[in-house]
Every structure is written in structure tokens, then in C-alpha cells.
Amino acid sequence: MSPQTPTLSDVVAHLERRYPPTTAEPWDAVGLVAGDPAQPVRTVLFAVDPVAAVADEAIARGADLVVVHHPLLLRGVHSIAADEPKGALLHRLVRAGCALYAAHTNADAAKRGVADALADVLGVVDTRPLVPAPASATGTGLGRVGRLSAPTSLRDFAEHVARVLPATAQGVRVAGDLDAQVETVAVLGGSGDSEIGSARAAGADVYVTSDLKHHPVSDARELDALRGDGRPFLIDTAHFASEWPWLRYAADDLVADVAGAGGAIEAWVSTVRTDPWTARFASPARD
């Protein structure tokens, strides 16, 4: 018996078993954004951001569905007219017969989700949730904390982070003693300055996240220096880069789940770098 082509409804059911919408944060907007649940889905493109370049890639590849991490319609959208960026993207996908689905904070909290993928690519083992989910919840919790296979310097670890994550104009920024030894690592993909305290409470030597702002970092450095040797040190990555590793897990898991149900599907990870920053200029050396 040959494998069956799943419908969009079938694919959504597989995704939502992996990433239950009930585990998303209350403010989030996850799930099916556009598409006919009855349409067949043979090819799926996974990407971080719902932007025009990703739509270009999906249409060029003939994708039936784009699964993105960041929601397209999250804040105060009252029109999807085609003369605005969000409306233009939706119109293009609909005309091409390509559906759009978002898995955001529910993918952050899941097993083999954003947090696990980030920890794995950085070589963090024996992980546990950085912020455990409530007992009544079905997700595993936000972020991960674990250890490196062997202690290393903050400098070497930061260079490793920059090497294994997608290249971006920002690269990585570091706050801490570059010669200090680190072993316990906390990670949180995406914006994570609100959980610096959780990384401290977990005993992390270093915390890897994105979008760290001046005042939270300055306050944390002052507090950590007052109480000890400045730990956790901080590594700030580009937002896109910290979430991109999940795409491979999501694509592989969807292919396996569909096959397990007697179907067949092809899934790709987008090769488009959707980090919005295009250049960085270091300050020149001064006497």
C-alpha cells in the first residue's frame, strides 16, 4: 500500500500533538493562519520568520505549507490589504495555494522544541527546564539548564556559540570575565532578559539568550559582582540565530509523524537568513 498524502488538517494535528496550543503563553497567537484544512500537503517549508523572502522561497519550491516560529498576526492587525507587508504576504501565499502555520511559545516549551534544539547544538547535556512548567501544564517549561561535557573558558565557549549558530551581523556579545571557567549553562531561545534571575537561581555559570538590553544586563552584572564573581556571565546572540536550530528538529519530526500515520511528506528547512540586521562596525581602537 503506497503512502497517503495528508491533508492540511492532518498535518496541523501532527504539529499540535508536538506543540499543543494550550502550552502557548496567553498573549501569543499560534496555529493555522491561512489555508484550507482539506487541501493536500506534500511539501512543507520551516522558517523562523513570516517575511517576504520566506514566501519567495516557499513559492519557488512549490511548498504547500510554511511553518514559522514567529506569528504573523500577533498585535493589533485590523487589515490584511495587499498594500501592507502582512497583507501582501498572505495574499501571495493564498494565491500560490500555500498555507501558513505558526508554532511560537508552544514550540519553546515542547520536548525537542526551541530550547532543546539550542541546548543540543551548543553541546549542553543533562538538561532540565530553566523555568519548569506548572504541574497542571502539558509543556516541559521554558529554557534549559545543564552542563558542558568539560569545563572551558568563557572565551572559548563564546567562540563555540558563534561558530555553531547561524552567522549574523551581530555575532555574539559577551558580558563577563573571558578567562573564567564555565561548565553549567542556561539557555533560552529568543528574548530572555526576563529570566536572568532564573539562570542565577539555577547556578548557571553562563546564560545564553537573545535581545539582552542595557539596563537588565547592567543591573545583573552589578548584583552578581556584589554577591560573587559575576556569574552568570551573559552571552547575547541574534534572536533569529538562537531559534533557527529548532527548524531541523521540527522538520524531521513532522516527516516521521506523518510516516507513522501511513502518509508521506517532504519537509525543508529554509536557507534564508531572516535576521533583520545587515552589518556591524566595531569601534576603532583609540589611544
Side-chain angles (χ1 to χ4, degrees):
M1 183 175 177
S2 60
Q4 299 297 305
T5 299
T7 65
L8 177 58
S9 178
D10 295 329
V11 173
V12 166
H14 287 302
L15 290 168
E16 294 189 347
R17 277 190 287 271
R18 290 273 179 182
Y19 318 114
T22 55
T23 64
E25 294 294 317
W27 50 263
D28 208 356
V30 302
L32 187 62
V33 181
D36 179 353
Q39 74 183 67
V41 175
R42 298 176 181 84
T43 57
V44 183
L45 179 69
F46 284 82
V48 174
D49 295 295
V51 294
V54 168
D56 291 342
E57 184 180 18
I59 293 168
R61 289 187 173 218
D64 301 308
L65 170 65
V66 179
V67 176
V68 290
H69 184 49
H70 292 142
L72 177 68
L73 306 177
L74 183 59
R75 296 186 181 90
V77 177
H78 304 292
S79 170
I80 57 167
D83 60 351
E84 295 292 339
K86 294 180 187 296
L89 185 143
L90 280 175
H91 280 266
R92 290 188 62 215
L93 291 178
V94 169
R95 284 196 297 267
C98 184
L100 179 65
Y101 183 93
H104 192 209
T105 53
N106 49 332
D108 291 333
K111 291 181 180 179
R112 285 179 59 83
V114 173
D116 281 338
L118 179 58
D120 289 349
V121 78
L122 298 184
V124 182
V125 299
D126 296 336
T127 60
R128 64 186 188 276
L130 176 62
V131 183
S136 59
T138 55
T140 62
L142 293 178
R144 296 291 183 267
V145 60
R147 63 176 179 83
L148 300 175
S149 58
T152 188
S153 70
L154 177 62
R155 181 192 309 275
D156 286 348
F157 181 62
E159 290 177 344
H160 171 69
V161 173
R163 186 166 55 249
V164 299
L165 290 182
T168 61
Q170 171 185 317
V172 303
R173 300 186 298 176
V174 183
D177 178 0
L178 294 178
D179 295 321
Q181 293 290 290
V182 298
E183 183 175 13
T184 302
V185 179
V187 304
L188 197 158
S191 302
D193 58 17
S194 63
E195 300 302 338
I196 294 175
S198 297
R200 182 184 302 115
D205 297 315
V206 57
Y207 177 41
V208 183
T209 189
S210 304
D211 297 341
L212 290 175
K213 297 186 286 292
H214 174 87
H215 293 296
V217 172
S218 179
D219 291 346
R221 299 292 298 141
E222 291 292 302
L223 175 62
D224 295 334
L226 182 65
R227 293 183 176 179
D229 63 354
R231 297 170 195 260
F233 307 126
L234 303 172
I235 295 180
D236 180 50
T237 75
H239 191 121
F240 156 82
S242 69
E243 295 173 331
W244 187 87
W246 166 70
L247 303 180
R248 182 75 271 159
Y249 278 16
D252 289 348
D253 288 344
L254 179 61
V255 169
D257 290 345
V258 170
I265 202 167
E266 186 175 3
W268 306 306
V269 170
S270 174
T271 58
V272 175
R273 188 184 79 179
T274 55
D275 180 66
W277 299 102
T278 60
R280 177 182 64 87
F281 297 89
S283 300
R286 297 183 175 90
D287 294 335

